[in-house]
Amino acid sequence: MLANKRILLIIGGGIAAFKSLDLIRRLRERGAAVTPVLTRAATEFVTPLSVSALAGEKVYSALFDLTDEAEMGHIQLSRVADLVVVAPATADLMAKMAQGHADDLASTLLLATDTPVLIAPAMNVRMWEHPATQRNLATLRGDGVRVCGPNDGDMACGEFGPGRMSEPLEIVAAIEAALSDGPLTGKRILVTSGPTHEPIDPVRYIANRSSGAQGTAIAEALRDLGADVVFVTGPAAVARPAGVTVVEVETAQQMHDAVFAALPADAAVFAAAVADWRMAQAQNSKIKKTAGGLPVLQFAENPDILAAVAQLEDGRPPLVVGFAAETDDVEANATAKRARKSCDWIVANDVSPETGIMGGAENAVTLISDSGAEVWPRMGKDAVAAELARRIAQTLS
Ligand code: C5P
């Protein structure tokens, strides 16, 4: 799939740079050519010699190298590739990109390029979560930059949380998705998926039986048609889709914030089974079982994410799709829900236990739109996803 593709790989100065050596190998195994560029800081973590040996090509690293300018000017260098990949994308590189700085070769190439850009951020968890980095991330997304990762996990600095660079094969999947040419190429689509967990106390929570299977299949189907997918998922049972930007959340409120941070989008598909209620006050310590007394749980309403996005006056995605999991009067309830939430389509399904749909591999849906209700035959969740993605592509084209 990557045969005859050229990747301009900008390696930033972070401890994750060692993974970029493996990334080069994986890309070349798949037939891609890699033109490597090292920032000055990157040369502290990996040597130009090892990068060039693995890439089988010359390494570019300093801006004012006259020989290079004679061989290939930096403007030209920025345009020879099918895709520019920044891995690791450090907090500093992201800030430079967001601000349009051009004070070294890497940032100059990023400003001069007219090819799509994919970044794989890697940094300390606090740096990642800092509002400045999150602002830069939103700016970059708004500029059309694709983002792969970061993952949660143990970090080289001894802390735990989001900030680890994606694994080389995850970046390869994101590169393949970015280079795939389909009817949704250039479209950015937001998908929510999975259940949410609403804490009662530090050990207990309220949840539901959503597996995340349908939302995951939709994200994959949209990706396969070339879309740049942002996948906001609660704690789902199924594996996360490859080649999409995954944002992991736990509660409805976090999902709401992640969805708004991911806008703008050309379409948004709300497949998540969001908890309607959370605890009015989650307890900070475990509620004790006391003789004779039952705890009284008081609820508060969660934000309705779908309705909030569908009713946006400014920046509403042109196509907003909601789901309706019903146990009776499916069509009537879903039609009313479509009007109440102001979404364009509702994908309605019957989740009564006897259907085996919740957590199962199949789905029987009715698509409710302006043109009325259309009953689809019962089919695999993958097939439902493929058909929905095809309809989305038709509508957005
Ligand atoms: O109202 P109900 O939960 O049945 O609506 C289902 C649809 O609304 C789904 O698309 C679901 O993802 C979305 N939803 C949401 N935020 C909520 C509740 C539901 O986005 N708080």
Side-chain angles (χ1 to χ4, degrees):
M1 180 151 179
L2 293 176
N4 303 320
K5 298 291 184 194
R6 178 164 288 278
I7 310 293
L8 182 73
L9 176 64
I10 295 176
I11 303 180
I15 186 69
F18 77 93
K19 289 195 204 170
S20 300
L21 299 179
D22 191 34
L23 175 62
I24 295 172
R25 279 186 45 231
R26 305 287 187 172
L27 290 170
R28 293 199 67 206
E29 274 167 16
R30 286 162 178 75
V34 179
T35 306
V37 175
L38 293 184
T39 65
R40 207 175 299 277
T43 59
E44 304 285 335
F45 293 91
V46 289
T47 71
L49 189 59
S50 41
V51 172
S52 125
L54 284 166
E57 297 206 12
K58 175 181 168 52
V59 171
Y60 294 86
S61 60
L63 181 52
F64 299 106
D65 183 329
L66 290 179
T67 335
D68 291 345
E69 282 296 317
E71 276 173 21
M72 186 188 288
H74 58 266
I75 299 292
Q76 199 190 340
L77 183 58
S78 74
R79 309 224 170 130
V80 291
D82 297 292
L83 184 71
V84 177
V85 176
V86 187
T90 59
D92 183 56
L93 255 177
M94 284 177 61
K96 279 184 174 169
M97 288 174 74
Q99 293 298 314
H101 286 245
D103 59 359
D104 63 2
L105 179 62
S107 53
T108 305
L109 293 177
L110 285 160
L111 196 61
T113 192
D114 57 2
T115 39
V117 178
L118 169 81
I119 62 171
M123 65 197 71
N124 166 274
V125 53
R126 302 269 167 269
M127 292 169 78
W128 174 250
E129 285 171 349
H130 195 284
T133 303
Q134 292 302 311
R135 262 196 315 274
N136 292 335
L137 178 68
T139 302
L140 293 173
R141 285 213 172 112
D143 290 346
V145 169
R146 286 175 176 250
V147 185
C148 174
N151 292 342
D152 273 7
D154 286 322
M155 312 198 62
C157 51
E159 291 186 61
F160 183 90
R164 270 170 74 105
M165 187 169 85
S166 296
E167 296 306 317
L169 285 179
E170 294 173 315
I171 301 175
V172 167
I175 290 172
E176 286 176 339
L179 289 173
S180 77
D181 207 9
L184 288 174
T185 299
K187 303 288 183 199
R188 198 177 141 75
I189 305 191
L190 176 68
V191 178
T192 70
S193 183
T196 63
H197 285 183
E198 308 297 331
I200 296 172
D201 65 22
V203 295
R204 306 181 180 97
Y205 57 84
I206 298 165
N208 61 64
R209 295 186 195 281
S210 165
S211 63
Q214 186 62 82
T216 301
I218 291 168
E220 289 169 341
L222 293 166
R223 172 204 65 195
D224 290 347
L225 296 186
D228 175 11
V229 178
V230 182
F231 182 71
V232 181
T233 179
V238 299
R240 307 293 173 256
V244 308
T245 302
V246 178
V247 183
E248 306 250 6
V249 298
E250 192 182 329
T251 65
Q253 186 60 52
Q254 288 166 357
M255 185 172 277
H256 172 276
D257 296 349
V259 161
F260 276 83
L263 292 176
D266 296 291
V269 181
F270 292 88
V274 185
D276 291 316
W277 309 285
R278 64 173 183 277
M279 301 306 299
Q281 189 78 58
Q283 299 301 308
N284 291 329
S285 46
K286 189 180 166 195
I287 302 172
K288 289 270 179 260
K289 190 163 121 183
T290 47
L294 292 175
V296 177
L297 303 183
Q298 199 154 33
F299 290 97
E301 197 166 333
N302 270 329
D304 190 320
I305 310 166
L306 166 62
V309 170
Q311 289 162 15
L312 275 176
E313 301 228 327
D314 227 8
R316 180 193 194 273
L319 179 64
V320 177
V321 183
F323 274 67
E326 305 287 347
T327 50
D328 35 33
D329 286 335
V330 176
E331 197 177 309
N333 281 330
T335 303
K337 191 165 289 178
R338 174 171 174 265
R340 198 167 61 242
K341 304 219 182 196
S342 319
C343 55
D344 302 296
W345 300 350
I346 282 267
V347 181
N349 53 3
D350 184 346
V351 291
S352 350
E354 61 274 16
T355 64
I357 283 173
M358 203 92 171
E362 291 194 330
N363 209 348
V365 310
T366 302
L367 180 67
I368 292 163
S369 68
D370 250 352
S371 13
E374 194 186 314
V375 182
W376 292 5
R378 185 168 176 136
M379 50 186 160
K381 287 183 176 170
D382 286 353
V384 170
E387 182 56 18
L388 190 65
R390 200 182 63 76
R391 301 285 184 106
I392 291 174
Q394 238 171 22
T395 305
L396 294 186
S397 66

